[in-house]
Amino acid sequence: MTMPDTTHAGVAAFIASFFAALVLAWILGGKPEKAGVYTLAAMFAAQAVLYSTVGNPQFDQIDVIAVTSDVIGLLVFTLIALNADRVWPFLAAAMQLISGMAHLTHGFRVMLGQSYVDFNAYPTAIVLFLLIAGTLLHRYRLHRHGKDRDWVPFQRYAEFRRLAQDAEQF
């Protein structure tokens, strides 16, 4: 397995901030933030396992391992967003969608070089900041109101069904 080059300051800073964000969200966050921690950890684990077993792709090929990780992130953050009483999971899902779209554009040779790397890496880094912001806002709401509702399961689905039925009547 090819490990990230931790002698590069940017890589070392990202790895440190990645684990710091996960610890912060795990300790201070509510259930949606903890679900975000699990999601990012699953994405990291999927990449670690796949890179160690499959190997590293060539730069001129689509990185199927990164695609797998981004799809995991997109699906799980979307599920979190649909059930959590938070805004940040919607933004996290959007960032994972952007990261996933970078793989498609790389496949069509529209995006090459550093722009592919940037569009693949930066959205996931932004998810870390969203997770931290969501955690801090959760703590603020707890401090201010004494409680903070984590989930609104099935309520949004009922709202979507009602909106769809209303639209069918027109």
Side-chain angles (χ1 to χ4, degrees):
M1 172 177 165
T2 304
M3 296 300 292
D5 180 13
T6 55
T7 61
H8 186 276
V11 173
F14 176 78
I15 291 172
S17 63
F18 177 82
F19 287 109
L22 295 187
V23 169
L24 177 76
W26 181 256
I27 293 171
L28 299 178
K31 291 178 183 176
E33 289 77 27
K34 286 181 172 60
V37 169
Y38 285 132
T39 304
L40 287 168
M43 292 169 62
F44 182 81
Q47 284 192 4
V49 168
L50 290 172
Y51 281 128
S52 67
T53 57
V54 176
N56 291 327
Q58 299 296 320
F59 184 75
D60 61 341
Q61 299 172 344
I62 293 177
D63 187 350
V64 178
I65 296 169
V67 171
T68 303
S69 175
D70 289 335
V71 167
I72 290 169
L74 174 62
L75 293 175
V76 178
F77 279 122
T78 300
L79 286 173
I80 294 169
L82 291 174
N83 290 292
D85 193 23
R86 307 280 199 272
V87 174
W88 74 263
F90 284 104
L91 300 172
M95 291 297 105
Q96 290 307 129
L97 181 61
I98 290 170
S99 186
M101 295 304 292
H103 298 294
L104 291 177
T105 57
H106 183 68
F108 292 121
R109 303 289 189 255
V110 173
M111 186 181 296
L112 298 172
Q114 188 63 37
S115 60
Y116 172 65
V117 173
D118 292 345
F119 262 92
N120 191 4
Y122 289 145
T124 304
I126 291 170
V127 170
L128 287 174
F129 292 112
L130 292 170
L131 180 61
I132 291 169
T135 300
L136 295 176
L137 288 170
H138 165 72
R139 298 307 295 183
Y140 173 75
R141 288 186 299 270
L142 282 176
H143 176 72
R144 185 172 175 134
H145 304 293
K147 61 182 171 152
D148 186 24
R149 183 172 63 173
D150 288 325
W151 303 110
V152 286
F154 304 111
Q155 178 180 345
R156 288 201 174 104
Y157 300 121
E159 291 172 4
F160 291 141
R161 278 195 302 272
R162 184 180 44 80
L163 289 173
Q165 288 170 349
D166 292 346
E168 288 176 359
Q169 292 176 355
F170 290 108

